[in-house]
Amino acid sequence: MSHRNEMETQFLSVPENESFARVVIAAFAVQLSPTVSEIADLKTAVSEAVTNAIVHGYEGTRGMVTMRCSVDDRGTMIVEVSDEGKGISDVDQAMEPFFTTRPEQERSGMGFAVMQTFMDDLEVESAPGQGTLVRMKKRIHAGGMP
């Protein structure tokens, strides 16, 4: 697949940077002429992925979160959010709705379910001690080449 455009940014795993990631994804998506709804979907999914990296990946420690985005000639946007945190031992279990490792923090366990709802495709790669990579795809309907 050839990329029409791509970008990568890194930021510290602090809660303030979740809103930064939302602005970055919205700004990058503009080139595809997305609808307001499509922008909201992207921002929501990125917010969940970044929050997961900060809260679960680094668990109160600090590390870097990387966000990579690319768009192709068909108007498909690929967003990857990765961390070098503790990783996930059972990805399938972690992706089940309502599963949470932090019930005392009133976490809903719906992060991956939210990402699946707002994006067209979701893949999660992780292993204990190896960090986590969340890859999401969304077709921006106005963004394809004629």
Side-chain angles (χ1 to χ4, degrees):
M1 176 190 325
S2 66
H3 298 300
R4 183 166 77 183
N5 194 6
E6 57 188 275
M7 72 85 176
E8 177 177 315
T9 187
Q10 282 192 310
F11 46 88
L12 193 61
S13 63
V14 294
E16 295 83 355
N17 284 334
E18 179 266 333
S19 58
F20 169 76
R22 291 170 59 93
V23 170
V24 169
I25 196 67
F28 189 75
V30 166
Q31 64 193 294
L32 296 177
S33 303
T35 64
V36 170
S37 176
E38 288 169 333
I39 287 278
D41 291 355
L42 285 166
K43 288 168 71 174
T44 299
V46 162
S47 176
E48 291 293 333
V50 169
T51 297
N52 272 1
I54 293 169
V55 172
H56 301 292
Y58 290 112
E59 285 198 314
T61 63
R62 289 190 172 188
M64 296 304 287
V65 177
T66 301
M67 184 167 70
R68 289 181 199 85
C69 304
S70 64
V71 294
D72 65 20
D73 290 337
R74 296 185 306 273
T76 299
M77 191 162 186
I78 299 170
V79 182
E80 294 181 347
V81 176
S82 61
D83 65 66
E84 296 177 358
K86 70 172 208 161
I88 301 169
S89 58
D90 186 338
V91 171
D92 290 336
Q93 181 186 46
M95 291 180 73
E96 288 176 14
F98 305 113
F99 176 80
T100 180
T101 58
R102 296 272 175 271
E104 73 282 359
Q105 293 181 6
E106 298 184 14
R107 297 270 163 203
S108 68
M110 294 299 288
F112 288 125
V114 168
M115 291 178 232
Q116 286 175 315
T117 299
F118 290 101
M119 301 296 273
D120 297 324
D121 190 47
L122 170 68
E123 300 168 23
V124 179
E125 298 172 16
S126 188
Q130 302 295 309
T132 301
L133 168 69
V134 174
R135 182 179 299 109
M136 304 175 282
K137 296 180 185 175
K138 183 155 188 78
R139 174 97 165 83
I140 305 298
H141 297 290
M145 299 300 277

